[in-house]
Amino acid sequence: MKLSQSIHFLSNTESLKKNIDKTILGIRGRQLNEFSELGLPVVPGIILDASITQALHQNDPMPVLLPLLKKMGTVVKKDFDSAENPLLLKLVISSNLVIANYPTLHNFGLAKNTITGFEEKVGKDFASHEVFFLLRGLFSIQLSIAELQADEIKIGVYKDLLNKISGELKKEKCTETGSAVMDAYQQYLPEGFFNTAEDQLKITIQLISTMLSLDPDNENDVALLIQPLVYGNYDKESFSGKFFSRNIVTGEKKLQGMFFQEKFDEADADGKDINEIKPAYLKQLESIAWQLEDHSKDVREIRFTIEAGKLWLIEQKSVEAKSTIALVHFLLDLHKRGIVDAEYVVKNVKPGQLNEILHPVINTASVKNFQCSKGGIAGAPGAAVGRVYFSADSLIEAQRIARLQSADTRCILCVPASYAGDVKAIEVSTGVLSNEGGYSAHASVVSRQYGKISLVRPDMKIMANKAVIDGVTIKEGDYITLQVPYYGESTVYFGAAELIEPDPKTSGLLDFIALTRSFIQNFHVRANADSPRDAALAISFGAEGIGLCRTEHMFFNEKRINIFREMILAETTEDRIEVLKRLQKVQMEDFYGIFKAMEGREVTIRLLDAPLHEFLPHNEAELEGFIEHLKKAGKKTLSKKALLDEVAVRAEVNPMLGHRGCRIAISYPEIYAMQIRAIFEAAYKLQKEKIETHVEIMVPIIMNFRELKQIAYGKKIEGHAYLGIRALEKEVREKLKAEPIDFKIGTMIELPVAALSAAEIARYAEFFSFGTNDLTQTTLGLSRDDFNNFMPDYTLYDLIDGNPFAVLDPGVRELISIAIERGRLTRPDIKLGLCGEQGARPENIPFCMEAGLHYVSCSSYSVPIALLAIAQAELEKAENEGRKLTPKKVS
């Protein structure tokens, strides 16, 4: 092949012919051609394609190159090998690999006959620096050749030379002129290297070709790109700069970056906001940036140089560091202008990325000088700032004082592990830092439910009112910042960072959710919500109902907890019922608010599940608070010792498998009776207000159909009657003279035995909700709060695949499938959902859809993530089936 057929010229007005094989241009060559086709003001280039680069040390390319260099010089108004206005070149070794270890080769054309002209343009100091830069690139090539030839003597020589040059480049001022530098190093270079620019270029190309021909990893796919260097320090109309095509944190369509007047680049230079550059240049830069965005369908980072008033695009690439808010805004902008369709928008956001858009993000500039510690297990992603407190009570008290003083109320709970009594603190905190458990630990689960941040640091040491991380001591009241990304390494910053708060409306999240929902067919997302506020938030995030209302959380409210403790410690059933009457009123108000907020959507209420002992006082402050409560209420008081004895009597060795859920209902039917009455009082009150309700009452921890049958339909034995849910509903309806409403009774399948006996249970259950947190624990025999202590050993030896409390275990999946199949045999129209934390994980969504579930339920803050995972699964299914999924209108 003739050299002329393999050497190509490109500029903003001249691109390659369509029939040329682009694979032999390398990545950088293809990129240059792409920009050339777009007509962008790219620096012109000459590509020596891969078909000849390995033979150039045996062939002289200069006869073909010289006319093209002259043509190139005309474009940039310089002349190659000119003494007055020299054209200097950069040589880019363009492989097909994204990452290649080839050196940077700049300033070729700096020779004895051109150095003076260059010095007049940029100054002697800068010119000398550029000679050193040229030498560093060339010696790197020569070192590579020596290594490929295993020439130990030359390897040592070139390594020494490179170390010496690196030292010179670090100096602020060069003490020698460019010509003197050339003289000093000529002895290590091919003869006549600095005589003329033409000789220099020829020698360099031949050295590059030699290196490529010797490289055993070179698959004959490396091209060589030659481009002129342009300088932002030529005169007062010269600039350099780097910017993003839009704000990479907020997504605002406004350039973000800096420019530097009379500077080669931004190194050690004071820059100005890119938007303050001369209007004519700004208009050009905006046009380039947004043209590149539309073409690449991505936010771009752009480097440019303006040399003597002429703008040149130097480099542009994707921005990996852009926030999810910026990405979503960008995609919605493309969609609004018809550049992409809705399917493209939905496919190009990873579900996990939405965590970032739902929580504050750190302004990285604010933590530039902060001491920090990296590592840990992400429990609930996001960023949080607050003062550290080491117990729920101390945190709540600190917040109370801060409110009175109009001070900062942001607090972070720092505990070894959290328990039911800590929920009240997690709810009002900004985040939780713990050192036991992991993604599925209590602190992490509750944090996700309340939209808080959770980080587990197993290496943290907690001692009374201080903690130590990486040798840094955190005292009570000290500020820390938690940065917990969904992808990547978590960080604790010691100090208060500046946060950028998200707004679902301005962030583009709500518009994105609407697009996402337009692709969802017959599978839905509900929310785990325990309050009207959570319910309203869930609806705004696209939830189509509540799949889990944990009623036990309602009793941890500081105004209710001591009343609930009264009920637990009541000496007689009659005393217990009297206390329950007081709780029934507040329960009814809870349910009324939730039903009203849900506006006719399904609401699944799980009757009390937590073991009763979890509600009892567990520390000195709680003991004293309860005794004070009894005194104020005029009730019989107990001494601390007597109270501790009562607590001890009710303690359980293994409460997770103990007296909880439906087992409480069997022993204390009056507790569930109170909740049932409150539910239907709320529903019938709303009926009078013409507000529709769809109530689903869920009985937890069922192990056989007899339990559910008794709780749903009641039972009579000699001298005793157990009132079931249906009898209690009728009692309330008749008392309020109301019309019957739609309601369902179902159960949570969270024990293997329940899954296996689903056919019998479905005779009395109108819906199943799979509680996969407990189903995973009881199937695998693993405690979600403790397994992280030994799980690293198991993953080291591949004894288990990942975290079973995040991604459903195959055994758990099989039990779910069995329960679905057997349940449908008995009740074909049974409604099926999954309300464990795994429901929000994108990895589990396809299984849930294929298994025949109707919905998943997750925390309000995870609803958008689940929706996106479902939409992407629907799109993938349609694509695999060779059909186009048309977006539907979403109300």
Side-chain angles (χ1 to χ4, degrees):
M1 180 180 286
K2 291 182 180 179
L3 288 180
S4 59
Q5 294 176 324
S6 299
I7 298 178
H8 318 277
F9 181 83
L10 299 95
S11 70
N12 62 327
T13 59
E14 191 174 342
S15 52
L16 297 182
K17 294 177 181 177
K18 300 293 182 183
N19 62 350
I20 290 177
D21 180 7
K22 305 297 192 299
T23 62
I24 59 175
L25 305 178
I27 287 177
R28 294 293 293 274
R30 288 195 295 275
Q31 187 184 67
L32 175 61
N33 185 57
E34 183 182 8
F35 300 153
S36 173
E37 290 177 337
L38 291 170
L40 295 169
V42 291
V43 178
I46 301 168
I47 300 176
L48 291 76
D49 70 40
S51 67
I52 60 169
T53 50
Q54 292 192 72
L56 290 174
H57 60 295
Q58 298 169 340
N59 297 283
D60 183 4
M62 295 310 294
V64 180
L65 287 179
L66 287 173
L68 297 179
L69 289 169
K70 185 172 181 62
K71 189 176 179 180
M72 182 185 284
T74 301
V75 177
V76 298
K77 298 179 181 178
K78 296 177 186 176
D79 297 311
F80 186 65
D81 221 356
S82 163
E84 291 78 27
N85 188 25
L87 173 69
L88 304 186
L89 306 171
K90 67 175 177 180
L91 279 62
V92 180
I93 302 171
S94 177
S95 74
N96 281 324
L97 299 174
V98 176
I99 299 174
N101 295 318
Y102 294 120
T104 303
L105 304 167
H106 282 187
N107 309 318
F108 291 88
L110 268 182
K112 285 295 186 91
N113 63 323
T114 62
I115 186 68
T116 303
F118 186 62
E119 286 173 343
E120 289 176 1
K121 296 287 185 183
V122 299
K124 291 186 177 182
D125 183 68
F126 182 80
S128 298
H129 177 279
E130 296 303 273
V131 175
F132 277 121
F133 205 91
L134 179 156
L135 288 168
R136 184 169 71 177
L138 194 71
F139 286 144
S140 296
I141 294 290
Q142 290 177 300
L143 174 60
S144 295
I145 293 171
E147 288 174 337
L148 290 166
Q149 294 175 331
D151 188 329
E152 295 298 331
I153 294 174
K154 287 185 178 179
I155 290 172
V157 170
Y158 291 126
K159 282 186 175 180
D160 289 342
L161 288 169
L162 285 168
N163 286 334
K164 185 176 180 181
I165 287 172
S166 294
E168 294 292 341
L169 287 171
K170 289 176 183 176
K171 293 179 180 177
E172 289 188 14
K173 291 284 184 181
C174 291
T175 56
E176 298 176 280
T177 64
S179 184
V181 174
M182 292 177 187
D183 290 338
Y185 287 90
Q186 175 60 60
Q187 61 181 308
Y188 304 106
L189 297 165
E191 187 178 348
F193 182 79
F194 283 117
N195 286 354
T196 67
E198 182 179 338
D199 290 341
Q200 187 182 97
L201 181 59
K202 179 180 176 180
I203 291 168
T204 303
I205 290 172
Q206 289 176 336
L207 284 171
I208 292 170
S209 178
T210 300
M211 179 187 71
L212 295 176
S213 66
L214 291 170
D215 188 354
D217 296 327
N218 180 11
E219 298 181 356
N220 202 27
D221 63 349
V222 181
L224 180 63
L225 171 62
I226 300 174
Q227 287 182 287
L229 283 160
V230 288
Y231 294 88
N233 56 346
Y234 252 44
D235 55 24
K236 289 185 179 179
E237 278 302 307
S238 295
F239 309 83
S240 62
K242 183 171 70 173
F243 64 91
F244 302 116
S245 54
R246 64 179 61 220
N247 189 297
I248 64 168
V249 175
T250 67
E252 181 186 5
K253 195 171 184 179
K254 180 181 179 182
L255 303 190
Q256 178 190 10
M258 307 292 282
F259 76 94
F260 308 87
Q261 189 168 10
E262 291 190 80
K263 297 290 181 183
F264 177 66
D265 57 28
E266 63 269 24
D268 300 319
D270 292 326
K272 293 182 180 178
D273 186 324
I274 190 68
N275 295 286
E276 295 176 13
I277 203 167
K278 290 184 177 181
Y281 296 139
L282 179 60
K283 189 174 180 181
Q284 279 184 281
L285 294 172
E286 287 176 336
S287 176
I288 291 168
W290 297 332
Q291 183 183 353
L292 284 170
E293 277 195 344
D294 289 355
H295 174 73
S296 65
K297 300 181 181 65
D298 198 0
V299 181
R300 310 312 288 174
E301 179 181 345
I302 297 167
R303 284 184 61 238
F304 71 94
T305 293
I306 298 171
E307 184 182 82
K310 176 71 174 176
L311 172 63
W312 299 104
L313 174 62
I314 304 301
E315 182 187 23
Q316 66 90 35
K317 58 185 178 181
S318 176
V319 181
E320 298 299 326
K322 59 183 173 288
S323 72
T324 304
I325 292 176
L327 173 61
V328 168
H329 267 301
F330 168 68
L331 291 171
L332 291 173
D333 176 39
L334 291 184
H335 179 254
K336 184 179 179 181
R337 293 185 291 109
I339 306 297
V340 300
D341 59 15
E343 183 175 335
Y344 184 91
V345 176
V346 171
K347 279 184 170 181
N348 278 275
V349 178
K350 294 177 182 177
Q353 287 180 283
L354 292 182
N355 270 302
E356 184 185 313
I357 210 170
L358 292 161
H359 297 288
V361 293
I362 289 177
N363 181 347
T364 52
S366 70
V367 294
K368 192 174 180 181
N369 299 315
F370 277 27
Q371 191 174 2
C372 69
S373 173
K374 294 187 177 294
I377 303 167
V385 174
R387 291 175 293 145
V388 173
Y389 291 92
F390 295 93
S391 71
D393 291 325
S394 63
L395 185 147
I396 289 168
E397 177 63 14
Q399 271 199 334
R400 185 186 69 80
I401 294 170
R403 279 194 297 272
L404 290 173
Q405 297 174 347
S406 299
D408 188 350
T409 59
R410 295 177 299 173
C411 297
I412 289 174
L413 181 64
C414 183
V415 288
S418 71
Y419 299 95
D422 297 314
V423 171
K424 59 187 179 183
I426 295 173
E427 186 177 4
V428 298
S429 72
T430 58
V432 185
L433 179 62
S434 59
N435 69 346
E436 294 176 15
Y439 179 82
S440 301
H442 182 270
S444 303
V445 173
V446 175
S447 295
R448 289 194 293 275
Q449 178 193 349
Y450 287 112
K452 309 300 180 179
I453 312 307
S454 170
L455 176 63
V456 182
R457 286 293 298 255
D459 60 321
M460 176 174 65
K461 306 296 182 188
I462 300 178
M463 300 156 283
N465 62 347
K466 68 179 181 180
V468 179
I469 301 176
D470 257 1
V472 178
T473 299
I474 307 166
K475 296 177 182 176
E476 190 153 88
D478 285 353
Y479 273 102
I480 63 168
T481 300
L482 304 180
Q483 171 78 334
V484 187
Y486 191 83
Y487 301 104
E489 196 170 29
S490 297
T491 307
V492 177
Y493 292 98
F494 302 103
E498 179 186 332
L499 295 184
I500 300 170
E501 295 289 337
D503 181 337
K505 293 179 181 177
T506 60
S507 69
L509 178 62
L510 300 186
D511 291 333
F512 181 76
I513 289 172
L515 276 187
T516 300
R517 289 179 63 203
S518 72
F519 289 105
I520 294 176
Q521 305 299 299
N522 300 310
F523 193 82
H524 305 291
V525 179
R526 296 190 190 181
N528 302 341
D530 313 328
S531 69
R533 184 190 70 84
D534 288 345
L537 182 67
I539 292 171
S540 72
F541 284 164
E544 296 191 44
I546 289 177
L548 176 62
C549 175
R550 302 176 177 97
T551 54
E552 59 271 10
H553 284 184
M554 298 170 174
F555 299 117
F556 283 111
N557 181 291
E558 60 182 14
K559 294 180 180 178
R560 304 178 187 182
I561 185 63
N562 284 319
I563 301 174
F564 201 79
R565 286 165 178 163
E566 267 190 76
M567 184 273 296
I568 295 170
L569 296 173
E571 293 180 355
T572 66
T573 301
E574 291 72 24
D575 289 344
R576 188 176 303 109
I577 290 172
E578 282 303 310
V579 181
L580 285 168
K581 286 178 182 177
R582 289 153 61 195
L583 288 170
Q584 184 173 319
K585 183 177 184 298
V586 294
Q587 274 273 269
M588 189 277 287
E589 291 169 353
D590 289 332
F591 298 137
Y592 174 85
I594 291 171
F595 293 153
K596 191 169 185 177
M598 292 310 291
E599 300 173 324
R601 296 172 179 86
E602 287 103 336
V603 176
T604 305
I605 296 173
R606 183 177 73 185
L607 300 175
L608 188 71
D609 185 28
L612 293 179
H613 84 93
E614 285 195 9
F615 297 90
L616 295 175
H618 290 287
N619 56 50
E620 190 77 12
E622 289 181 357
L623 285 167
E624 290 177 356
F626 181 55
I627 292 169
E628 185 63 27
H629 163 81
L630 292 174
K631 287 178 180 177
K632 286 182 179 179
K635 301 285 183 179
K636 177 184 174 183
T637 58
L638 298 170
S639 66
K640 284 185 186 178
K641 182 182 182 305
L643 189 52
L644 284 170
D645 289 341
E646 290 291 329
V647 171
V649 166
R650 288 164 176 80
E652 296 186 64
V653 175
N654 192 349
M656 201 270 287
L657 298 177
H659 201 180
R660 57 174 282 211
C662 69
R663 299 158 190 178
I664 292 173
I666 301 301
S667 299
Y668 306 105
E670 58 273 15
I671 296 177
Y672 270 25
M674 177 275 288
Q675 292 193 292
I676 299 300
R677 290 189 178 102
I679 288 169
F680 288 111
E681 283 178 4
Y684 287 124
K685 183 178 180 182
L686 286 165
Q687 186 186 69
K688 290 181 180 179
E689 297 174 20
K690 311 295 186 194
I691 295 174
E692 190 177 349
T693 58
H694 292 280
V695 182
E696 297 178 349
I697 299 172
M698 182 159 66
V699 182
I701 208 80
I702 287 289
M703 64 181 175
N704 64 47
F705 75 91
R706 295 183 187 88
E707 292 169 310
L708 182 60
K709 181 182 178 182
Q710 177 169 325
I711 292 169
Y713 293 96
K715 193 168 188 175
K716 290 184 179 180
I717 56 174
E718 289 184 24
H720 187 78
Y722 186 104
L723 281 180
I725 294 171
R726 294 203 176 274
L728 288 164
E729 180 274 330
K730 184 179 179 183
E731 172 195 296
V732 174
R733 175 163 35 96
E734 290 177 349
K735 178 182 176 183
L736 297 176
K737 297 183 172 66
E739 294 297 319
I741 60 165
D742 169 57
F743 76 93
K744 290 182 172 63
I745 299 172
T747 187
M748 181 178 277
I749 303 292
E750 49 195 321
L751 299 174
V753 69
L756 295 173
S757 57
E760 291 83 6
I761 293 173
R763 289 162 57 193
Y764 306 99
E766 295 168 282
F767 68 88
F768 287 164
S769 183
F770 292 92
T772 51
N773 293 342
D774 276 354
L775 187 57
T776 298
Q777 292 192 98
T778 53
T779 300
L780 301 183
L782 288 176
S783 165
R784 72 180 185 185
D785 294 312
D786 301 318
F787 89 109
N788 279 293
N789 294 333
F790 57 84
M791 196 49 57
D793 301 324
Y794 270 62
T795 53
L796 175 66
Y797 295 108
D798 294 325
L799 300 178
I800 193 166
D801 296 325
N803 181 350
F805 294 99
V807 180
L808 288 167
D809 179 83
V812 175
R813 292 185 182 210
E814 187 173 359
L815 282 171
I816 292 171
S817 298
I818 289 169
I820 290 171
E821 181 182 358
R822 294 181 182 179
R824 278 190 170 143
L825 285 173
T826 301
R827 190 184 293 271
D829 63 345
I830 191 167
K831 187 169 282 189
L832 302 161
L834 186 152
C835 63
E837 276 294 312
Q838 290 99 322
R841 297 286 297 202
E843 303 94 323
N844 299 320
I845 293 292
F847 164 76
C848 294
M849 297 171 71
E850 291 163 12
L853 295 176
H854 298 113
Y855 68 88
V856 292
S857 187
C858 52
S859 72
S860 299
Y861 288 91
S862 296
V863 167
I865 297 166
L867 286 170
L868 180 54
I870 294 165
Q872 290 180 348
E874 295 278 20
L875 287 166
E876 184 179 357
K877 181 182 177 184
E879 187 177 334
N880 292 338
E881 294 173 357
R883 57 187 173 86
K884 181 76 174 175
L885 194 60
T886 304
K888 63 185 181 183
K889 191 173 182 179
V890 177
S891 58

